[in-house]
Structure formats: C-alpha cells, structure tokens
Amino acid sequence: VVNCMRGGPSTGLPTKTEQGDLFQALGASQGEYPKVVLAPATVDDAFYSTTEAFNLAETYQCPVIFLSDLLLSEHYETIDDLDFSKVKIDRGELIADGSVPAPGTYKRYLDTPSGVSPRAVPGMANRMYVAGSDEHDEDGILISDVFTDPEKRVKMMNKRMRKIDSILKNLPKPQVIGPKDADLTFITWGSTYCVVQDAIRMLEKEGMSVNHLSIKYLCPFQSKEISAILKSCKRQLIVEANFTGQLERLIRQETGLSIENSLRKYDGEPFGPNMVYQKAKQVLSQKRSAELVNA
C-alpha cells in the first residue's frame, strides 16, 4: 500500500508536502496484526524499496505500507542509472508444484516457528487455496461466527505475531552516516534525508562534526539498535515535516528515550538547507556555551 503524504486534514493541502500519516499507517487496523511500514529517503531508494516492499509482503504474508510524500513523489530529479541486477523477486514460502501431498493434508495456515505458513497458489493439485477474512484454524476453516474456539484463536494469533520477530531478524540494521563521535546527530525519516545531507555539507565546511541517522523501517521498530545508537549520541536534532513530532513520539514510545532538540515544519513547503543549518548551529552553540560554563 503506497501512501504519498501531503498536508491534511481531509483534502487539506492536496498539492503540498507533509509527513503527517505515520501514526495512521501504524494504527490502520481492525484489531492487531503484523505489518511493515517503511519510508524511502531518496528517488533511487524509492525504486529499490518498492521491490523490497513487494518481497516483504510475499515473504511474510502481511501488509506492507510504503510511506512516501508529495515532495519525494512529484519533484524533478536526475539520478544515475538504476542497477537492475539488485532487483530480486522473492515469492516467499511457496509449496513446490512437484510435491503432491495426500488429499486433505495441506494446511494453509500451518502453525510454524517463524509464523509464516507454506503458501499454495490457485490451481495446485490437492491444495485448497484459502483466503478467508474471518479468524480461522490451520486448515482455513472459519471459527469466528457463532461459536469461536478460544484455543484456536490464541494459537493463530500467536502464529501471526511471531512474524514480527522473524521480520526484525532479517531487516537491514540502521546505520549512522558520518563520524561516530560527532558533536551532533541528525535524525530523520523519509524525504528530509536529502535536505539534511545538504545542511551537513554546509556544517562540515565550517569544521563541525555531525552525523546522520535516517530511520527507514518504522514498523516493526528496531528498538534495540536505535536505542543503542541514540544513547551514544552527544547531541540530537530530529527533523520532520509535521506538527506533532510523530517520529519523535514513536522513538519515545519504543525506546523510552526523549530527543533533546527538534525542527518541525508543516506549512506545506519543504525544508530548505539553510533552515536546517541555522537550527543545527543553534544547538551546537548551546552545547559550546554549556561547556564554557562548566569549564
């Protein structure tokens, strides 16, 4: 599911950009279920991430929400050639056509350690392709009409939610771009990546040591890895295009850590490098002032 965010509410700013739908993507649900929410940072990242989103959806048999925004989706940009050798199609846990089980033995929703059940496609011999919208047992028989089976319900819920652990084990780990011992760490998600990189180049020309954590995978959240990164930072500045600081709230919710400094914009226009540069200078000057007082 692709969501190209723009300013709301409702029709709001239909031709202007914003990053206001993160919690909508996290919470869009009837009940609880495993899902993936990812946010590409650049145009070429969006291309490769689209393939990745399809592969994640098929591998883990769950919805994937692709959070882009109007700025990333509609601006003009020239990029280098795309490397199509990186585009791999992964259909996930499919049952091979050659293996023909005894009639009635195939279980579409087989309880497995990973939470992912071997999948048949329509037309395979001795396998019933099932896609029921109600709760079901391992065979795909619905159990949620009048007499729900609590034991089977719990078993299927546990099976589904184990996918979250499986996904987390296989997602690429978050990486900090720049020197490890930087005086300031920028934190972003989505299209604010590029403007922060521009601001970083401006700051580095003045001899300032800064680095950048761009968080791509928003659900499931890589709490352990991101918490370790944030705890090692001297100063933090989170940049996002919304009113409520949605990534900042998500980080606090998932790690218990609060980000010290934030820069938010919600007028529909994208950030400019100078705005980010000036805010970073302000944060760094506060740090320098505190050091002089302590000395």
Side-chain angles (χ1 to χ4, degrees):
V1 179
V2 178
N3 178 351
C4 296
M5 299 174 287
R6 82 290 187 277
S10 187
T11 307
L13 302 173
T15 63
K16 298 293 182 178
T17 196
E18 202 162 290
Q19 292 179 305
D21 295 358
L22 174 54
F23 273 80
Q24 182 195 54
L26 295 172
S29 172
Q30 288 81 38
E32 300 171 299
Y33 60 90
K35 67 170 78 73
V36 177
V37 180
L38 58 83
T42 64
V43 171
D44 38 356
D45 184 25
F47 174 80
Y48 297 117
S49 294
T50 300
T51 304
E52 182 183 13
F54 275 107
N55 288 342
L56 286 168
E58 296 216 54
T59 298
Y60 297 103
Q61 300 174 30
C62 69
V64 177
I65 300 175
F66 186 96
L67 276 183
S68 181
D69 58 51
L70 188 138
L71 173 64
L72 184 58
S73 302
E74 294 191 6
H75 77 276
Y76 293 101
E77 180 177 341
T78 300
I79 62 173
D80 294 332
D81 289 342
L82 297 168
D83 185 355
F84 289 93
S85 67
K86 293 181 180 179
V87 178
K88 308 295 183 184
I89 297 174
D90 187 351
R91 298 297 187 193
E93 196 74 23
L94 280 175
I95 290 182
D97 274 310
S99 61
V100 181
T105 60
Y106 170 63
K107 294 184 176 182
R108 169 62 186 96
Y109 300 107
L110 181 67
D111 189 15
T112 64
S114 68
V116 178
S117 306
R119 186 162 56 111
V121 297
M124 285 185 170
N126 292 335
R127 301 177 184 91
M128 180 67 74
Y129 177 82
V130 180
S133 62
D134 290 18
E135 186 58 282
H136 46 70
D137 63 13
E138 289 181 275
D139 292 305
I141 297 172
L142 306 186
I143 64 171
S144 64
D145 195 359
V146 178
F147 300 106
T148 299
D149 186 319
E151 184 177 344
K152 290 180 180 178
R153 155 65 178 179
V154 170
K155 182 177 183 178
M156 287 292 98
M157 190 66 175
N158 289 342
K159 180 196 88 75
R160 279 192 295 273
M161 301 310 280
R162 279 200 298 276
K163 294 179 185 181
I164 294 174
D165 292 332
S166 299
I167 294 167
L168 279 171
K169 288 177 183 176
N170 293 295
L171 286 179
K173 303 305 180 188
Q175 301 290 331
V176 175
I177 304 168
K180 290 183 178 180
D181 60 345
D183 293 322
L184 176 65
T185 299
F186 285 100
I187 304 165
T188 65
W189 64 288
S191 67
T192 49
Y193 172 91
C194 289
V195 71
V196 165
Q197 283 292 304
D198 287 342
I200 285 174
R201 285 188 282 271
M202 296 166 68
L203 293 163
E204 287 177 338
K205 285 181 179 179
E206 298 184 15
M208 298 181 190
S209 178
V210 292
N211 60 20
H212 186 185
L213 171 63
S214 176
I215 300 177
K216 177 177 180 177
Y217 303 101
L218 302 163
C219 181
F221 197 77
Q222 296 169 298
S223 304
K224 181 179 178 181
E225 293 83 359
I226 289 173
S227 180
I229 290 170
L230 295 179
K231 286 178 180 178
S232 69
C233 298
K234 296 179 182 178
R235 276 282 193 277
Q236 305 154 357
L237 173 58
I238 189 166
V239 180
E240 52 183 324
N242 56 60
F243 179 84
T244 55
Q246 293 185 22
L247 178 60
E248 185 177 345
R249 289 165 58 200
L250 180 62
I251 289 172
R252 186 165 58 247
Q253 171 184 309
E254 295 288 341
T255 68
L257 301 174
S258 296
I259 307 301
E260 298 169 329
N261 304 282
S262 64
L263 179 61
R264 302 174 191 169
K265 200 171 190 290
Y266 41 88
D267 59 1
E269 300 299 334
F271 285 97
N274 194 57
M275 182 181 185
V276 179
Y277 163 82
Q278 292 295 343
K279 180 65 177 181
K281 291 264 287 186
Q282 177 189 338
V283 172
L284 287 165
S285 67
Q286 290 171 352
K287 176 178 182 294
R288 180 60 180 157
S289 299
E291 288 172 347
L292 291 173
V293 169
N294 292 332

